[in-house]
Structure formats: structure tokens, C-alpha cells
Amino acid sequence: MEHIGSLEKRLWSSADVLRSTSNFASNEYFMPVMGLIFLRHACSRFLKVRDEILPTLPSRGGVVRDLTKADFSSRSAIFLRPEAQFDYLVSLPEDQSPSAAVIHAMETIEEDYESLTGLLPKQEYTELDDDALRQVLRIFNDPALQKADGDVFGRIYEYFLTQFADQKAHDNGEFFTPISIVETIVNVIEPTRGKIIDPACGSGGMFVQSAHFVEAMKASPNEQLTFYGMEKNPTTLRLAKMNLAVHGLDGDIQKAISYYEDPHKGQGPFDYVMANPPFNVDEIDAEKMKDDPRLTFGLPGVNKGGKVSNGNYVWMSFFHAYLSERGRAGIVMSSQASSAGGQEAKVREALVKSGDMDIMCAIRGNFFYTRTVPCEIWFMDKGKSEAMRDKVLMLDARNVFRKVTRKIFDFSPEQMQNLTAIVWLYRGQHDRFNGLVRDYLSIARAEAQGAEFAGLVAALEAAQGYLSGHTDTAELVAGIAKLAAEADAFVATSAALVEPEAEIAALTAARDAMQPVTEQAKALIKDIDHLAKLAQKAQDATVASGEKAAEGKKLLAAIADARVPLTGDPDVQLTTTGALKRTGYFEGQAEWLLSRFPDGRFADVEGLVKLVDMEELAANDYSLTPGRYVGVAPEVEDADFDFEETIKDIHLEIEGLNAEASELAETIAKNFEELIV
């Protein structure tokens, strides 16, 4: 669904109606809204799996047996009775209360799934206006959503979590870890089989992404993985259990304050630890935890009041203690922790000397929705090879990001793959690196060879034919002829490209052969942009001469439509679309990897990555800050600098600032009115 971004915003806007028509404060209404998203997502997965199961059901005497919960549990979905399905709720007669129907739907799900008993929102719906609730149910039943698959709903679910985090609707948004960071952790520790624990599990995103990782291998997450979690906030605990349930996952999530409680100690050790614990927590009672066996390296600094003044290294000790003999961990932590001094430095030294520190990855600020600070991901691996036990991989990814909004950055899917590919090389998995480069080049080749120019040329010629009767179109005529010739050359050059073998020499040769095609694609994009502007200029002149705008406007619209398959859809912001742009984009991804690792083997790259040994770590007080080791990346002139995209970014920033200024002005005015009343 290419236009999911606009759909998400529309759904959010409609759901926000419930806040204005209820007695809920902003930190209260998110649960009934998430309950509706839960129902819609659960129904989407239910219908998809139902259609897969029905043809396989056995029959006796012509009667097909009924669907059961077990049919759905094995396919990462939950069973829904008819009255809990979204179609039923949307089609309620006007004389029936939608809030009562939604409450009943929630009750039936809780009856069928003991793990959800008492957790789904129910009575909250009695506070909502029935007309508004009915309207939101209809909007959430959008035809586009009826055909959407689980991945689309997963993104919508995450979008709503993000929006609530952005509103600080719940505990300053600490229940939500950005999906880019979660996926990066999953990609590195590769949770394929075993027990996973997250002692600060929030909304359960670590578990869900681990399940997606297993599903991508065509395996069942519930058969391969067992999930254990702790969460102190009861509301967030509900959200986590809902999140697991909607994805058909089983998990044991307990309400606990992880500093003082360890409800899963009987289930350890664990194969994977994944967590985004709260950063820099102070005032932890040292007396309550002094004998905790999880404090393998002892307590960090304790102040005169008997409190641990910073909990970062309490968490690190816990995570290390949870791991099995070959266990892996991925933890998000404040960037200041990796070079902290005092007693924390002693804990860090002991952790490094254990040989289990594997990778440190630095991430720039603005990845979190409610925190602008940079962070680092700490990776531990108790199963590291002996040759690597005295080394730590330092990966500085602060220059790797894409801009989602003025305030929010993340990794694109390809950026995440590229960072993961560096880890593959570090682990000696050269074939996986080669396979990724080959995939990039294959996509670029397919896009180039699939480019069709006839429709665009025809649209340009039709517009020129009409406009020439009203204004001078000589420049447009010459431009169309130039485009047609260059398009023919591009098609011929692209046709000569061959599918590369997965050997580094062949991949390098394929990259070299692809680069002229990429340059041709960039030139064609510029030509197409220029021709569109010439056509618009001619249309403006035609209208100025007294002609009506309708015919020319229709022809310009045809040009715009014909451009989309080549230069991309301007309404799609975060995905590269259009054959010409995708040709350059994917060739660029292959170039990013091959230019840094030309031999297909791991190597230190200035400003990006370095393998640091124990001697160098000791010389730097066992600091685990990647930037301290990798150096500064050489400044490279950006040959692909896009002026128009930069202007769009500036415009986006101005819009954001204007919106904030307007909101602030309203707040000031309201506060002033309250003062003078």
C-alpha cells in the first residue's frame, strides 16, 4: 500500500475525534483507541488466515468441521467469534449501542484467551459518544484496510503508538521503541530459536519484531521462540499483552520492578536479551538489591543516601547475567553510559574483560519520538569465537539515517541491511554480504530494463501539439526529441546488463557496468523535470493569451501521470519509486558497500567502523564509545545533491515551525484569558 502514510494520518485524525467527544484526558483515551486498532488488526489477521485454512479443513459427510482456536494459533493469529469481527460491529443497527457491542467483543476475546483476561479496554467505551464511536468504526473499516495484510496493520499499529508517544500520552512515551532500533537489534542478534527476555518490555515491540524475523524464515514464532517480559506500568503491561495477542504470540509478561524483582529467574538462562531500559535512572535502593545474583560485576556507585545514583550499569549487569552460554543481547542505552567514570567505569572494565562485549553501535539523536538525545546499542555475545573474545566491533552509525519529519529520523530498510552486512563481514559471513550486493544490483538492473518511455513521450507530444497552436513551443519540441534519443540509448545500454554471479569480482564488474546506466538515469530524470516545466510554462503562456485552462491542464495531468513510473510518485515520501530513481538508488546501495569493503572482507573504515582490541580498549579506560575509535569520516562531495529535495525539507521545517508557533500562540492566549477572568 504505497499511500499508507496518508491513510495513517486520516485514521489518526478520525480516532482523535474520540478525545474531543469524551471526558478523557489525553493520557487516558489512548487505551480505547488502541483497543479499536487491536480489533481491526486482529480481524485483518483472522480473515487472512481463515481464507488460508478453509480449503484445508477436513469434511465428513459433506460437512466441513468448524474452525478452532488451534487453527489460528499455529499461524500467528487469534480466533474471533462472529460478534467480535469488525464487519459485525460496523453493520450494527442504529438502535443498538456500538459501545456495548465493542465491550461484548472484548469480553468474548478475553473468554477465549485467558492471557488477556481483564486486560482489554471495555468500560472505557461507556464514556464515549456513540455517534462518534460509530463514525470511527466505519472509518477503520476503510476498503483499503479490508484488503490490507498483517504487515500494513502492523505499521498502522506502530504509527498509533508513535503518535501517542509524540503526545506524551503515556509515561513520556517510554512504552515505544522506534522500529528502526528494534529491527537493528533483531538483525544483529538473529533470534532464531530459544528463549527471549525483555526486562523492560514496554509495548512488546522487541517480541513482535523477533517474531517477524522468524516468520521471514518461513517458520512459526510460537514454535521457535518463547517470550518472557517484565513491565512496571500496569497500563503499558496491558498494551504489551494486546500487542502480542494481536500477532498471535504467546508470552509470559509479568508486572515487576526489574531492579528488585526477577519473576522469571526460574526460566533462565536465556538465549536472547533485548531491551530498551529507562536511561540514567537514579535513586535505586542499593540495600534492596545488594545480594541480587544478577549483579555479576557488583553494584555501580552508591551515594551517601544508600542509593545507586545511576542505574545504567545495573541493567548491563542484569542483561549479562541473564544470558546462556551462547546467548546474545542487544540493549539500547544512553550514549553517556559508554564512557561513564567512577564505579561505573569499573563495572564496564569487568564487562569488557569478560570477553562477552561484541559490538557497540552509535546512533544519532532524533530517533526516539520523545527524546532527542543520541543513543548507543550494546551487543553482547557469550558465544563469540575465541579469536574475537579480546575484541569489540565499534560501529559509528551517526551519519547513517533518513529524515522522516523535521523532528524524527530513522533507518531506511536498505540502511539497516547495510549496517547488518558490516556485522556479517565481521563474523566472516562473506556469502551473505555478497548476496546482498547482488540483490541490490539485480533490482537496479531489473528497474533499468523495465523502464518504459513511450507513454511519457506520447503525453509530451500531445501537450506540445495543443500548446503549439497558442504559443512558441520550439524548445519543448527540441527537448522531446532529445529525451526520445536519450531514452533509446538508455534502453540499449540497459539491455546489455547481465545478472552478476555472487563472487566479489563479478559483483564489482557488474557495479562498474551499472554506473554508466545510473548516470544516464539521472540525466533522464533531469530532462523529464525540465520538459514538465517547459510544458507548464507553455500552458501559462496559453492561458495568458486568453485560452481556457481546462484542455492544457488535462494534458499536463497526463504528463504528470506518465512520469510516475519513471521518476516516482511525489506523494510517496519514504520509499524510492519510479524505475529511473530506483535504478540509481539500488546501484547506490551496492556502491555504498563495495566502496567501503571492496574485497568483500571486513576492514576498518575511517569514520564508520573499527575492530578494537583489548590493548586499545585499556588505553582508553575501557571506553565503549565508537566515535572515540573510528575517527572522523572524510568529507565527500555529494554529487547527488538534490536542490529541490532540500527545498522540500526546508519547506517541511517551516511548516512544522509555523504549526508549533500557532499552537503556542493559542496556548498563550488561553492562559492569558484564564488570568484575567
Side-chain angles (χ1 to χ4, degrees):
M1 188 183 295
E2 289 185 342
H3 298 281
I4 186 173
S6 58
L7 177 62
E8 288 168 338
K9 292 175 182 176
R10 185 156 55 84
L11 293 179
W12 170 256
S13 176
S14 69
D16 206 31
V17 169
L18 295 180
R19 176 174 57 85
S20 61
T21 58
S22 73
N23 297 319
F24 292 130
S26 62
N27 65 335
E28 295 173 323
Y29 89 108
F30 86 95
M31 186 54 78
V33 170
M34 290 310 299
L36 296 181
I37 291 291
F38 167 84
L39 280 178
R40 178 64 267 192
H41 191 176
C43 190
S44 174
R45 293 179 73 88
F46 168 83
L47 295 174
K48 181 176 183 291
V49 171
R50 183 197 65 181
D51 291 345
E52 295 171 354
I53 294 172
L54 286 175
T56 69
L57 290 177
S59 62
R60 178 175 295 180
V63 179
V64 179
R65 77 158 172 81
D66 291 336
L67 292 165
T68 67
K69 283 172 53 180
D71 294 324
F72 292 85
S73 298
S74 63
R75 297 177 183 243
S76 298
I78 62 174
F79 172 78
L80 296 176
R81 300 183 199 178
E83 62 267 37
Q85 295 173 29
F86 222 78
D87 287 347
Y88 172 84
L89 297 172
V90 171
S91 59
L92 279 175
E94 289 295 322
D95 61 347
Q96 292 188 28
S97 167
S99 58
V102 171
I103 291 170
H104 178 65
M106 297 296 188
E107 289 172 342
T108 65
I109 295 172
E110 289 188 350
E111 289 171 9
D112 289 332
Y113 291 90
E114 186 178 344
S115 63
L116 291 174
T117 301
L119 293 174
L120 297 181
K122 294 183 288 294
Q123 293 310 309
E124 292 95 329
Y125 294 105
T126 62
E127 298 289 329
L128 300 177
D129 177 78
D130 269 359
D131 289 339
L133 180 56
R134 202 182 296 274
Q135 175 188 351
V136 172
L137 284 169
R138 284 195 295 266
I139 292 172
F140 279 14
N141 205 43
D142 187 292
L145 293 182
Q146 293 174 8
K147 300 175 183 178
D149 62 21
D151 290 334
V152 168
F153 265 101
R155 175 170 163 177
I156 291 170
Y157 197 81
E158 287 149 3
Y159 176 81
F160 270 69
L161 286 173
T162 301
Q163 291 298 105
F164 282 119
D166 193 44
Q167 286 195 345
K168 299 180 175 61
H170 177 67
D171 202 19
N172 289 325
E174 289 180 2
F175 58 69
F176 186 76
T177 306
I179 191 169
S180 273
I181 291 179
V182 180
E183 284 193 32
T184 300
I185 292 174
V186 170
N187 289 345
V188 171
I189 71 174
E190 299 185 312
T192 55
R193 178 187 292 273
K195 294 183 287 187
I196 298 178
I197 188 169
D198 182 347
C201 69
S203 60
M206 300 285 185
F207 301 138
V208 172
Q209 289 305 319
S210 297
H212 289 338
F213 187 83
V214 170
E215 287 171 346
M217 302 185 302
K218 308 299 181 185
S220 167
N222 282 326
E223 292 177 5
Q224 300 293 109
L225 299 172
T226 308
F227 304 109
Y228 298 92
M230 289 109 89
E231 173 54 47
K232 68 175 182 178
N233 186 294
T235 305
T236 310
L237 181 73
R238 294 172 66 188
L239 195 60
K241 291 193 174 187
M242 287 166 59
N243 202 4
L244 261 66
V246 82
H247 289 90
L249 302 175
D250 298 323
D252 184 358
I253 302 177
Q254 300 289 329
K255 183 180 182 301
I257 299 176
S258 298
Y259 301 117
Y260 311 127
E261 302 170 87
D262 188 10
H264 300 305
K265 61 184 176 183
Q267 306 299 329
F270 299 90
D271 301 287
Y272 308 98
V273 177
M274 307 169 69
N276 172 27
F279 299 169
N280 305 317
V281 175
D282 56 9
E283 296 302 301
I284 301 170
D285 193 327
E287 183 64 26
K288 284 185 179 181
M289 59 188 312
K290 65 180 182 180
D291 297 322
D292 196 313
R294 295 174 294 175
L295 292 172
T296 314
F297 307 112
L299 277 169
V302 179
N303 61 29
K304 293 179 180 179
K307 308 292 186 181
V308 177
S309 54
N310 193 308
N312 292 341
Y313 279 90
V314 170
W315 287 113
M316 290 305 169
S317 293
F318 284 0
F319 298 144
H320 183 268
Y322 282 128
L323 288 174
S324 63
E325 291 182 358
R326 301 191 63 80
R328 287 178 174 174
I331 305 106
V332 187
M333 184 49 66
S334 164
S335 58
Q336 70 188 62
S338 57
S339 291
Q343 189 63 32
E344 290 176 284
K346 293 181 180 179
V347 175
R348 184 175 64 250
E349 177 181 348
L351 180 57
V352 171
K353 286 182 175 178
S354 74
D356 298 328
M357 278 307 304
D358 190 28
I359 303 165
M360 290 293 297
C361 180
I363 296 175
R364 63 159 296 145
N366 292 92
F367 265 64
F368 284 87
Y369 298 96
T370 55
R371 289 179 282 193
T372 60
V373 296
C375 68
E376 287 162 351
I377 308 178
W378 299 46
F379 292 99
M380 303 177 194
D381 186 355
K382 286 192 175 180
K384 283 171 65 175
S385 67
E386 286 301 319
M388 291 295 180
R389 294 200 67 78
D390 66 340
K391 298 177 177 63
V392 178
L393 184 72
M394 298 291 177
L395 179 56
D396 191 343
R398 288 177 297 173
N399 292 320
V400 180
F401 64 91
R402 70 176 176 183
K403 198 168 186 178
V404 180
T405 69
R406 184 176 64 86
K407 294 181 178 180
I408 301 299
F409 299 163
D410 73 357
F411 294 136
S412 71
E414 291 73 32
Q415 287 170 333
M416 273 191 286
Q417 287 181 308
N418 294 346
L419 293 173
T420 306
I422 297 173
V423 176
W424 292 341
L425 291 181
Y426 157 66
R427 292 175 177 164
Q429 298 169 338
H430 310 115
D431 289 348
R432 297 178 80 178
F433 176 88
N434 291 356
L436 179 59
V437 174
R438 184 183 184 184
D439 286 345
Y440 286 151
L441 292 172
S442 294
I443 295 172
R445 171 177 172 266
E447 293 291 345
Q449 292 180 344
E452 294 282 351
F453 296 89
L456 176 60
V457 171
L460 286 164
E461 288 176 339
Q464 185 275 327
Y466 166 74
L467 295 168
S468 64
H470 308 284
T471 188
D472 181 7
T473 59
E475 190 177 359
L476 184 57
V477 170
I480 295 172
K482 180 173 178 284
L483 174 67
E486 290 183 351
D488 288 343
F490 177 83
V491 169
T493 308
S494 301
L497 297 172
V498 297
E499 186 72 20
E501 298 295 326
E503 299 295 331
I504 198 67
L507 293 170
T508 301
R511 183 272 314 269
D512 293 344
M514 177 64 70
Q515 284 180 335
V517 177
T518 298
E519 293 305 314
Q520 286 179 299
K522 292 176 184 175
L524 282 165
I525 291 170
K526 289 181 179 179
D527 286 346
I528 293 169
D529 288 345
H530 181 60
L531 285 170
K533 290 172 184 174
L534 287 178
Q536 182 63 58
K537 182 179 178 181
Q539 164 71 353
D540 293 343
T542 298
V543 173
S545 70
E547 288 295 318
K548 292 183 178 180
E551 181 62 22
K553 189 175 181 180
K554 181 175 72 173
L555 292 167
L556 290 181
I559 293 172
D561 290 342
R563 289 183 57 182
V564 169
L566 291 167
T567 62
D569 187 337
D571 294 331
V572 178
Q573 300 299 320
L574 296 179
T575 302
T576 302
T577 59
L580 295 176
K581 284 196 173 180
R582 285 172 61 82
T583 296
Y585 178 76
F586 284 100
E587 184 275 325
Q589 301 305 314
E591 168 64 18
W592 194 92
L593 290 171
L594 288 175
S595 63
R596 288 159 177 78
F597 307 99
D599 299 324
R601 295 290 186 270
F602 179 81
D604 294 344
V605 178
E606 189 76 13
L608 176 64
V609 66
K610 184 177 182 180
L611 189 58
V612 181
D613 61 23
M614 196 66 71
E615 182 179 355
E616 188 172 0
L617 288 165
N620 286 275
D621 301 319
Y622 296 96
S623 168
L624 291 174
T625 302
R628 192 163 180 171
Y629 300 94
V630 304
V632 179
E635 191 169 336
V636 179
E637 183 179 347
D638 186 2
D640 297 326
F641 177 76
D642 192 323
F643 178 77
E644 289 191 7
E645 285 300 316
T646 303
I647 292 296
K648 285 181 183 177
D649 282 345
I650 293 171
H651 181 65
L652 181 67
E653 186 161 355
I654 290 172
E655 282 187 334
L657 290 170
N658 286 340
E660 287 181 12
S662 177
E663 290 174 6
L664 184 59
E666 289 180 8
T667 302
I668 292 171
K670 183 178 179 182
N671 291 342
F672 185 73
E673 287 176 5
E674 291 174 353
L675 285 173
I676 62 176
V677 169

